[in-house]
Amino acid sequence: MERRIPKKGDIYRHFKGKKYKILELAVCTETGEDMVVFESMEGTRRVYASFLETFLSPLDTGKYPHPDQKYRFELCRDRNVSHGEELRRHGNTTALILEFLELVDNEDRIEFLQKHQAQIDARFLTAAAESLEFAENSETLEERYAALMRFLKTKAKYESRRLR
């Protein structure tokens, strides 16, 4: 397998946007296959188990034709990075908002959001939505992010057709 094996404490993002923390690597008693045990980082904090091969598998582009990531789960942040180091590395939300507001092209905005998804918070999403005159109606951070991405992708798609 070419991908890095998850480690206890790693944070992974599912292709639908939610984040999960790796609790353990395990072995299935029935098949002997390697498994990943992980916990959701928000909401009820449920614990899940998945076969390692499935956890690291690429997305089915036939079923999900416009994915935001290549694999079902992708590493967000190394477990060894402290919160203070992360803030120093990424700056604060205000800097992200100002950088986003400088962007003119919707494709650039989409790329920016994908690149900085791990640092985006509610304050950023509110500012970004207001700057685009996008009326938010979702509740969770993940839903708000996904709705903003759909809005920008739709806008980019139809604006590019208009130029032809």
Side-chain angles (χ1 to χ4, degrees):
M1 196 174 290
E2 67 210 47
R3 293 193 58 208
R4 174 186 176 276
I5 303 296
K7 295 179 184 165
K8 186 174 182 175
D10 284 347
I11 308 296
Y12 276 77
R13 180 177 31 262
H14 187 262
F15 74 97
K16 291 184 179 177
K18 291 188 178 182
K19 292 181 184 175
Y20 297 87
K21 181 177 182 178
I22 305 300
L23 298 178
E24 282 297 333
L25 295 182
V27 177
C28 179
T29 58
E30 309 263 330
T31 65
E33 291 179 78
D34 290 327
M35 298 188 77
V36 180
V37 180
F38 52 100
E39 176 183 35
S40 62
M41 303 258 324
E42 60 268 332
T44 59
R45 299 186 73 92
R46 294 186 66 181
V47 175
Y48 301 92
S50 176
F51 289 110
L52 178 62
E53 187 175 326
T54 304
F55 187 88
L56 296 176
S57 69
L59 278 174
D60 177 357
T61 54
K63 190 173 180 181
Y64 303 101
H66 303 290
D68 291 333
Q69 60 189 54
K70 184 176 178 181
Y71 297 98
R72 296 183 66 74
F73 288 91
E74 291 187 359
L75 183 64
C76 286
R77 177 183 85 206
D78 189 4
R79 63 193 171 102
N80 296 325
V81 176
S82 73
H83 184 65
E85 287 173 336
E86 188 176 320
L87 286 176
R88 282 192 298 279
R89 185 186 315 158
H90 300 301
N92 61 26
T93 305
T94 303
L96 281 178
I97 292 169
L98 293 174
E99 195 174 339
F100 182 81
L101 294 175
E102 294 287 325
L103 300 172
V104 178
D105 183 54
N106 288 319
E107 294 294 334
D108 292 339
R109 290 176 180 140
I110 292 167
E111 186 178 323
F112 180 89
L113 290 175
Q114 290 171 337
K115 180 180 176 186
H116 297 286
Q117 184 177 3
Q119 299 115 29
I120 291 174
D121 61 8
R123 184 170 165 252
F124 176 91
L125 288 173
T126 299
E130 288 177 1
S131 74
L132 297 167
E133 297 179 1
F134 171 64
E136 292 185 288
N137 58 5
S138 300
E139 292 184 21
T140 69
L141 197 61
E142 291 78 19
E143 290 170 343
R144 291 175 64 196
Y145 173 84
L148 184 60
M149 287 296 285
R150 281 192 304 277
F151 173 77
L152 283 170
K153 287 178 180 178
T154 303
K155 198 171 175 186
K157 177 180 175 182
Y158 288 103
E159 285 179 358
S160 69
R161 285 187 181 167
R162 212 175 348 151
L163 296 174
R164 293 182 191 163

